[in-house]
Structure formats: C-alpha cells, structure tokens
Amino acid sequence: MTTTPATIEAPARLRAAGLRVTVQRVAVLESLSAHPHASAELVHSALPPHVSGVALPTVHGILNDLTGAGLVRRVNLPDAGSALYEVQHELDNHHHVQCVECGRVEDVACAVGEAPCLHPSHDHGMRILEASVTYRAICSDCERK
Ligand SMILES: [Zn+2]
Ligand SMILES: [Zn+2]
C-alpha cells in the first residue's frame, strides 16, 4: 500500500516536521483535514470532546506553530473576515474560488500545474515564487436567491 503525504496520520506528520506530538496539535490537524479553509474560530468550535477545554488563543498558537512548520497553510482571502487555514500538501500550488456572497471556498487546480503559474509583465527585479490567485465568484446557491 502506498501513502501519499495527504493521507499520513497527524502524529506522523508532526513528528516528520520535528514538532512534539500533543493531543491538541493532533486534534487541530485532524479538525483541519475535516474542515479545509477553516478559521481559527471554526477549528476551535470543531475540536473533539476530549480536547474541548482548549482555549481559542491556544488554537491560534497551535495554528501558528503548524504554519511555521509547513504543515498548515494560512490562506488570506479578500472576502473572508479572518485568515483561513488548510492542511499543506507537498508540491501543491492550488488556488481558490470564493463566493463573494456566502464566503464558500473551494480549491481549484493551478491553471498551469506548477508555481508560479502567472508571470507579471514586470517583476521589479524580484524572483517570482508563486502567484496566489483567488477567483471571486457567486455560488449556485447564492445565484438562485
Ligand atoms: Zn454563495
Ligand atoms: Zn485550499
């Protein structure tokens, strides 16, 4: 059986990133896997009962640690009130489509397949690493209203 990085268990991912395995970190990672593009508040409210005593600032701290270790990606979207988080997968350069009405966020594959998928007409002498693209949209539910 082969495992892709996306399916490796949370404790193994933490260990591979050099982080100490704690029940709180595992719970935050697992809750993010179940709810991609979640705010810290949503992650906090979605924590399983055995770690429900964890305070919101602790969740923020854990998300910062996981982001710093490259396990989690922070996504700032124009129509989201706060930063959203998703589990970071290796060699992943996906973009987002976001409903400007309800805020629903979905992943869309990179238009080209690798970063940077867009090249600016003038790079001001900087080496371009990636283009962070957000497609602003209206979802079908909101369109019907
Ligand atoms: Zn919508
Ligand atoms: Zn995403």
Side-chain angles (χ1 to χ4, degrees):
M1 198 187 107
T2 55
T3 47
T4 64
T7 58
I8 294 173
E9 305 256 334
R13 293 174 64 88
L14 287 167
R15 253 179 255 116
L19 289 179
R20 202 160 50 85
V21 178
T22 67
V23 282
Q24 291 92 342
R25 281 174 174 162
V26 169
V28 166
L29 259 187
E30 285 176 347
S31 141
L32 264 191
S33 301
H35 310 274
H37 316 117
S39 63
E41 287 73 17
L42 199 148
V43 170
H44 181 243
S45 64
L47 287 176
H50 70 278
V51 286
S52 60
V54 175
L56 180 57
T58 307
V59 170
H60 274 285
I62 292 171
L63 285 169
N64 277 335
D65 291 347
L66 297 178
T67 305
L71 292 178
V72 164
R73 171 170 155 189
R74 185 185 284 115
V75 192
N76 293 300
L77 297 179
D79 293 291
S82 47
L84 306 179
Y85 296 87
E86 65 185 352
V87 176
Q88 173 84 59
H89 302 307
E90 239 173 300
L91 302 174
D92 178 8
N93 184 49
H94 75 262
H95 304 303
H96 295 101
V97 58
Q98 180 182 33
C99 174
V100 299
E101 292 292 333
C102 68
R104 177 180 157 199
V105 176
E106 300 292 343
D107 288 341
V108 287
C110 171
V112 179
E114 59 185 31
C117 67
L118 291 173
H119 291 273
S121 50
H122 183 27
D123 62 13
H124 297 270
M126 298 189 212
R127 186 167 61 88
I128 304 300
L129 299 174
E130 62 164 3
S132 180
V133 178
T134 304
Y135 299 93
R136 302 181 70 232
I138 304 256
C139 74
S140 51
D141 284 349
C142 291
E143 191 95 271
R144 250 177 266 129
K145 281 178 207 150

